[in-house]
Protein backbone atom coordinates (compact mmCIF):
# COMPACT_ATOMS: atom_id res chain seq x y z
CA UNK A 1 0.00 0.00 0.00
CA UNK A 2 1.14 3.50 -0.72
CA UNK A 3 2.09 5.78 2.12
CA UNK A 4 3.52 9.23 2.55
CA UNK A 5 5.51 10.14 5.65
CA UNK A 6 6.19 13.59 6.97
CA UNK A 7 8.27 13.14 10.07
CA UNK A 8 8.27 16.74 11.26
CA UNK A 9 4.91 17.48 12.82
CA UNK A 10 5.67 20.99 13.99
CA UNK A 11 8.64 23.15 13.05
CA UNK A 12 9.37 26.50 14.65
CA UNK A 13 11.86 28.84 13.01
CA UNK A 14 12.92 32.44 13.29
CA UNK A 15 12.62 34.68 10.27
CA UNK A 16 15.51 34.33 7.81
CA UNK A 17 16.28 30.80 8.97
CA UNK A 18 16.54 28.07 6.36
CA UNK A 19 13.80 25.49 6.04
CA UNK A 20 13.80 21.85 5.09
CA UNK A 21 10.70 19.70 5.51
CA UNK A 22 11.05 15.98 4.98
CA UNK A 23 8.78 13.83 2.85
CA UNK A 24 9.25 10.12 2.15
CA UNK A 25 6.93 7.87 0.22
CA UNK A 26 6.62 4.18 -0.34
CA UNK A 27 5.84 3.22 -3.90
CA UNK A 28 8.07 1.48 -6.40
CA UNK A 29 6.61 2.72 -9.66
CA UNK A 30 6.50 6.05 -11.42
CA UNK A 31 5.19 8.75 -9.16
CA UNK A 32 4.13 12.34 -9.39
CA UNK A 33 4.97 14.38 -6.32
CA UNK A 34 3.41 17.52 -4.94
CA UNK A 35 3.73 19.94 -2.08
CA UNK A 36 0.62 21.80 -1.00
CA UNK A 37 0.37 24.63 1.51
CA UNK A 38 -2.59 25.58 3.66
CA UNK A 39 -2.42 29.06 5.16
CA UNK A 40 -4.54 29.67 8.25
CA UNK A 41 -8.20 29.74 7.32
CA UNK A 42 -7.54 29.14 3.64
CA UNK A 43 -7.75 26.29 1.18
CA UNK A 44 -4.95 24.11 -0.01
CA UNK A 45 -2.75 25.63 -2.68
CA UNK A 46 -0.20 23.98 -4.87
CA UNK A 47 3.38 25.02 -4.05
CA UNK A 48 5.21 22.89 -6.58
CA UNK A 49 5.10 19.57 -8.38
CA UNK A 50 7.43 17.02 -9.90
CA UNK A 51 6.55 14.84 -12.87
CA UNK A 52 9.82 14.10 -14.64
CA UNK A 53 13.07 15.70 -15.71
CA UNK A 54 15.17 17.89 -13.45
CA UNK A 55 14.79 16.49 -9.94
CA UNK A 56 15.21 19.96 -8.45
CA UNK A 57 11.87 21.68 -8.77
CA UNK A 58 11.26 25.38 -8.24
CA UNK A 59 7.91 26.50 -6.89
CA UNK A 60 6.16 29.68 -5.89
CA UNK A 61 7.29 32.02 -3.11
CA UNK A 62 10.90 30.86 -3.22
CA UNK A 63 10.22 27.24 -2.36
CA UNK A 64 11.99 24.34 -4.02
CA UNK A 65 12.01 20.58 -3.60
CA UNK A 66 14.40 17.86 -4.63
CA UNK A 67 13.30 14.43 -5.78
CA UNK A 68 15.82 11.77 -4.74
CA UNK A 69 14.58 8.54 -6.24
CA UNK A 70 17.04 6.30 -4.40
CA UNK A 71 15.84 7.67 -1.09
CA UNK A 72 12.15 7.85 -2.02
CA UNK A 73 12.23 11.42 -0.79
CA UNK A 74 10.88 14.77 -1.92
CA UNK A 75 12.02 17.29 0.68
CA UNK A 76 10.80 20.87 0.61
CA UNK A 77 13.31 23.69 1.12
CA UNK A 78 13.46 27.44 1.38
CA UNK A 79 16.70 29.34 2.06
CA UNK A 80 15.16 32.10 4.15
CA UNK A 81 11.67 31.88 5.64
CA UNK A 82 9.35 34.79 6.34
CA UNK A 83 6.64 35.24 8.93
CA UNK A 84 4.07 34.90 6.12
CA UNK A 85 5.26 31.32 5.50
CA UNK A 86 3.53 30.23 8.69
CA UNK A 87 1.18 27.51 7.46
CA UNK A 88 0.59 23.78 7.21
CA UNK A 89 2.55 21.98 4.49
CA UNK A 90 1.39 18.75 2.91
CA UNK A 91 3.38 16.40 0.74
CA UNK A 92 1.34 14.28 -1.68
CA UNK A 93 2.00 11.42 -4.10
CA UNK A 94 0.06 10.35 -7.16
CA UNK A 95 0.94 7.08 -8.87
CA UNK A 96 -1.12 6.70 -12.01
CA UNK A 97 -4.36 6.16 -10.17
CA UNK A 98 -6.79 8.97 -9.65
CA UNK A 99 -6.04 9.50 -6.01
CA UNK A 100 -3.61 11.71 -4.24
CA UNK A 101 -2.11 10.26 -1.08
CA UNK A 102 -1.24 12.89 1.47
CA UNK A 103 1.17 12.98 4.35
CA UNK A 104 -0.07 14.06 7.75
CA UNK A 105 1.27 17.57 7.24
CA UNK A 106 3.91 19.69 8.92
CA UNK A 107 2.93 22.82 10.77
CA UNK A 108 5.46 25.60 10.27
CA UNK A 109 5.53 28.52 12.68
CA UNK A 110 7.84 31.40 11.81
CA UNK A 111 8.65 33.78 14.63
CA UNK A 112 9.23 37.40 13.60
CA UNK B 1 -12.73 32.42 -12.70
CA UNK B 2 -14.25 31.24 -9.45
CA UNK B 3 -12.41 28.46 -7.73
CA UNK B 4 -13.87 25.41 -6.08
CA UNK B 5 -16.74 26.57 -3.87
CA UNK B 6 -17.73 24.68 -0.77
CA UNK B 7 -20.58 25.47 1.55
CA UNK B 8 -21.23 25.86 4.28
CA UNK B 9 -17.84 26.83 5.71
CA UNK B 10 -18.89 25.70 9.15
CA UNK B 11 -21.63 23.21 10.00
CA UNK B 12 -22.74 22.21 13.46
CA UNK B 13 -24.91 19.15 13.93
CA UNK B 14 -26.14 17.24 16.94
CA UNK B 15 -25.53 13.53 17.14
CA UNK B 16 -28.03 11.64 15.01
CA UNK B 17 -28.74 14.48 12.59
CA UNK B 18 -27.83 14.53 8.93
CA UNK B 19 -25.06 16.65 7.44
CA UNK B 20 -25.00 17.76 3.80
CA UNK B 21 -21.85 19.28 2.41
CA UNK B 22 -21.85 20.93 -1.00
CA UNK B 23 -19.11 21.40 -3.53
CA UNK B 24 -19.27 23.31 -6.79
CA UNK B 25 -16.21 22.51 -8.90
CA UNK B 26 -14.30 25.04 -10.91
CA UNK B 27 -15.97 26.04 -14.15
CA UNK B 28 -15.33 23.42 -16.78
CA UNK B 29 -14.25 20.78 -14.28
CA UNK B 30 -16.16 17.51 -14.30
CA UNK B 31 -14.14 15.50 -11.78
CA UNK B 32 -14.71 15.93 -8.08
CA UNK B 33 -12.84 14.46 -5.14
CA UNK B 34 -13.74 14.52 -1.47
CA UNK B 35 -11.14 14.38 1.26
CA UNK B 36 -11.47 14.37 5.03
CA UNK B 37 -9.00 15.90 7.44
CA UNK B 38 -9.37 14.60 10.96
CA UNK B 39 -7.78 16.54 13.82
CA UNK B 40 -4.03 15.93 13.96
CA UNK B 41 -4.14 13.85 10.79
CA UNK B 42 -3.52 14.42 7.13
CA UNK B 43 -6.00 14.46 4.34
CA UNK B 44 -7.62 11.13 3.62
CA UNK B 45 -9.19 10.34 0.26
CA UNK B 46 -12.86 9.50 0.44
CA UNK B 47 -14.42 9.39 -2.99
CA UNK B 48 -13.86 10.36 -6.63
CA UNK B 49 -16.81 11.23 -8.82
CA UNK B 50 -17.47 12.30 -12.35
CA UNK B 51 -20.81 13.66 -13.47
CA UNK B 52 -23.48 11.12 -12.45
CA UNK B 53 -20.89 8.43 -11.72
CA UNK B 54 -18.94 7.28 -8.70
CA UNK B 55 -15.54 6.24 -9.97
CA UNK B 56 -13.76 5.30 -6.77
CA UNK B 57 -15.29 5.19 -3.32
CA UNK B 58 -12.61 3.12 -1.67
CA UNK B 59 -12.10 5.71 1.05
CA UNK B 60 -15.72 6.08 2.04
CA UNK B 61 -16.91 4.57 5.31
CA UNK B 62 -19.23 1.69 4.56
CA UNK B 63 -22.18 3.10 6.46
CA UNK B 64 -23.88 6.49 6.79
CA UNK B 65 -21.75 8.21 4.14
CA UNK B 66 -22.78 8.78 0.55
CA UNK B 67 -21.80 11.10 -2.26
CA UNK B 68 -23.31 12.20 -5.51
CA UNK B 69 -22.45 14.49 -8.39
CA UNK B 70 -25.59 15.02 -10.44
CA UNK B 71 -25.72 16.21 -14.01
CA UNK B 72 -26.84 19.60 -12.79
CA UNK B 73 -25.81 21.20 -9.53
CA UNK B 74 -23.08 20.70 -6.99
CA UNK B 75 -21.60 17.52 -5.63
CA UNK B 76 -23.08 16.53 -2.29
CA UNK B 77 -21.40 14.61 0.49
CA UNK B 78 -24.08 13.31 2.83
CA UNK B 79 -23.51 11.96 6.29
CA UNK B 80 -26.49 10.38 8.00
CA UNK B 81 -26.87 9.99 11.77
CA UNK B 82 -23.68 11.88 12.51
CA UNK B 83 -21.48 10.90 15.44
CA UNK B 84 -18.80 12.88 17.25
CA UNK B 85 -16.09 11.04 15.32
CA UNK B 86 -17.39 12.61 12.11
CA UNK B 87 -16.16 16.01 13.30
CA UNK B 88 -13.52 17.02 10.78
CA UNK B 89 -12.74 19.33 7.91
CA UNK B 90 -14.05 18.04 4.60
CA UNK B 91 -12.31 19.24 1.48
CA UNK B 92 -13.49 19.05 -2.08
CA UNK B 93 -11.17 19.21 -5.07
CA UNK B 94 -11.83 19.28 -8.79
CA UNK B 95 -10.02 18.69 -12.03
CA UNK B 96 -10.95 19.12 -15.69
CA UNK B 97 -12.24 16.38 -18.01
CA UNK B 98 -9.57 14.31 -19.65
CA UNK B 99 -7.16 15.14 -16.84
CA UNK B 100 -4.06 13.05 -16.58
CA UNK B 101 -1.97 11.82 -13.74
CA UNK B 102 -0.02 15.05 -14.02
CA UNK B 103 -2.94 17.35 -13.31
CA UNK B 104 -2.92 18.94 -9.89
CA UNK B 105 -6.20 19.23 -8.11
CA UNK B 106 -7.84 22.51 -7.20
CA UNK B 107 -9.12 22.56 -3.67
CA UNK B 108 -11.98 24.38 -2.01
CA UNK B 109 -11.77 26.07 1.39
CA UNK B 110 -13.34 23.10 3.10
CA UNK B 111 -16.34 22.61 5.36
CA UNK B 112 -15.64 22.23 9.05
CA UNK B 113 -18.19 19.87 10.56
CA UNK B 114 -18.65 19.87 14.31
CA UNK B 115 -20.86 17.26 15.90
CA UNK B 116 -22.05 18.10 19.38
Amino acid sequence: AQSVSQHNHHVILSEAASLELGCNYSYGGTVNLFWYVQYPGQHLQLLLKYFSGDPLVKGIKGFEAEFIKSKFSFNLRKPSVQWSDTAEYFCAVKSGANNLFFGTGTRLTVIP
Amino acid sequence: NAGVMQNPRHLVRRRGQEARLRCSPMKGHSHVYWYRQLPEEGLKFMVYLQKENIIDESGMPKERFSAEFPKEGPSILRIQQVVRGDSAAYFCASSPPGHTTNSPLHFGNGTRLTVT
Side-chain angles (χ1 to χ4, degrees):
Chain A
Q2 296 189 36
S3 68
V4 181
S5 299
Q6 291 181 246
H7 303 293
N8 312 108
H9 295 295
H10 191 188
V11 173
I12 302 173
L13 294 173
S14 298
E15 273 194 317
S18 65
L19 170 73
E20 180 158 4
L21 301 182
C23 173
N24 289 91
Y25 63 93
S26 63
Y27 185 73
T30 302
V31 293
N32 300 134
L33 300 157
F34 306 83
W35 274 97
Y36 285 86
V37 60
Q38 186 179 15
Y39 296 104
Q42 296 188 28
H43 61 277
L44 281 173
Q45 301 173 44
L46 181 67
L47 263 184
L48 48 77
K49 58 187 185 286
Y50 171 80
F51 298 145
S52 63
D54 189 344
L56 185 61
V57 180
K58 304 280 187 189
I60 60 171
K61 304 186 181 185
F63 285 91
E64 65 179 31
E66 184 175 11
F67 171 51
I68 302 179
K69 190 174 181 179
S70 61
K71 295 184 178 179
F72 296 90
S73 69
F74 190 55
N75 292 355
L76 181 71
R77 299 196 293 248
K78 185 170 183 178
S80 176
V81 294
Q82 301 171 311
W83 176 78
S84 58
D85 293 325
T86 294
E88 189 108 16
Y89 292 82
F90 292 90
C91 179
V93 174
K94 204 171 186 185
S95 62
N98 293 311
N99 309 335
L100 268 181
F101 294 88
F102 283 85
T104 52
T106 296
R107 182 172 300 171
L108 172 65
T109 302
V110 180
I111 302 169
Chain B
N1 186 14
V4 177
M5 304 299 292
Q6 287 188 249
N7 67 82
R9 287 295 304 274
H10 300 277
L11 181 62
V12 180
R13 286 287 179 267
R14 286 197 294 270
R15 277 183 298 172
Q17 291 185 320
E18 178 180 286
R20 281 181 179 247
L21 288 64
R22 294 174 184 75
C23 170
S24 296
M26 281 184 72
K27 188 176 181 181
H29 286 193
S30 58
H31 299 233
V32 165
Y33 305 74
W34 284 95
Y35 289 82
R36 176 165 63 173
Q37 184 180 21
L38 293 167
E40 306 304 320
E41 294 187 22
L43 288 172
K44 301 276 192 207
F45 168 78
M46 299 182 75
V47 62
Y48 162 47
L49 310 105
Q50 294 178 20
K51 285 283 187 181
E52 301 184 279
N53 284 309
I54 296 175
I55 306 302
D56 182 349
E57 55 181 349
S58 59
M60 286 280 271
K62 294 289 184 278
E63 297 176 346
R64 302 186 297 106
F65 283 72
S66 62
E68 62 176 12
F69 189 19
K71 189 175 179 182
E72 302 291 337
S75 175
I76 306 286
L77 179 67
R78 182 180 176 210
I79 311 172
Q80 295 178 291
Q81 299 173 356
V82 295
V83 300
R84 287 224 173 96
D86 297 332
S87 295
Y90 293 82
F91 287 89
C92 171
S94 72
S95 62
H99 84 294
T100 67
T101 305
N102 296 350
S103 303
L105 301 179
H106 298 262
F107 283 85
N109 285 338
T111 293
R112 186 164 298 278
L113 171 66
T114 302
V115 179
T116 61

